[in-house]
Amino acid sequence: MLVVQPLAAGAPESGRSASSVRPGERIAVVGPSGSGKTTLLAILAGLPRPSSGQVLFEGRQPPNNEPPTRHGVAVVLQGFGLVSLLTAAENIAVALRCTGTDPRQAGELAAAALADLGLSELAGHRTDELSGGQRQRVAVARALALRPRILLANEPTAQQDPDDEEQPP
């Protein structure tokens, strides 16, 4: 379970409240531009620490500088966070390797993640050759390949191609 106790990130607080998300639940954070949605997601991921309040995963606050993947969190960034000189499959495999997955298994899991999202044909393409929507879907595949307990996504449907509107990323 993810528990959020009233948070502040150095800005004036408004409408502070505690919240929790249980396994299987999905929530959406909505608000106008500049209202702090991206900052909230960054804090939930453990980057950076809030100036007040806390985020608890499974009843504990993760230690400082602990990567989000260590406590089962994967993040899909609005700007993709892909390495442009790597292929789609390599971007996913690198993330898996960073968690200790052996190279061969990382390659297999990357291929499976791309296949799950109907992106197998993009596996060997460098991400700088892909459209914005394709890059976003590769970023989602990378996050899902990590098998997170918590998935944080910042505008995961942004830049989706018109042909992809029927399929969620």
Side-chain angles (χ1 to χ4, degrees), residues 33 37-38 41 76-78 80 136 140 152-160 169:
S33 292
K37 299 179 300 293
T38 297
L41 288 176
V76 178
L77 302 168
Q78 188 174 3
F80 316 124
Q136 187 70 3
V140 170
L152 302 172
N154 192 355
E155 300 195 32
T157 59
Q159 303 214 16
Q160 287 299 294

Side-chain angles (χ1 to χ4, degrees), residues 20-42:
S20 64
V21 181
R22 291 175 175 47
E25 285 186 321
R26 297 176 188 179
I27 64 165
V29 178
V30 296
S33 292
S35 64
K37 299 179 300 293
T38 297
T39 301
L40 174 62
L41 288 176

Side-chain angles (χ1 to χ4, degrees), residues 20-109:
S20 64
V21 181
R22 291 175 175 47
E25 285 186 321
R26 297 176 188 179
I27 64 165
V29 178
V30 296
S33 292
S35 64
K37 299 179 300 293
T38 297
T39 301
L40 174 62
L41 288 176
I43 289 170
L44 293 177
L47 332 151
R49 290 278 186 212
S51 56
S52 69
Q54 61 183 346
V55 178
L56 304 174
F57 295 94
E58 305 296 329
R60 72 175 187 87
Q61 186 172 13
N64 285 337
N65 302 321
E66 184 178 82
T69 54
R70 186 158 297 147
H71 46 88
V73 176
V75 182
V76 178
L77 302 168
Q78 188 174 3
F80 316 124
L82 301 172
V83 179
S84 63
L85 296 177
L86 298 181
T87 66
E90 290 167 341
N91 267 279
I92 297 168
V94 164
L96 290 161
R97 293 284 295 127
C98 288
T99 66
T101 305
D102 91 16
R104 198 185 91 217
Q105 186 180 19
E108 292 169 1
L109 291 170

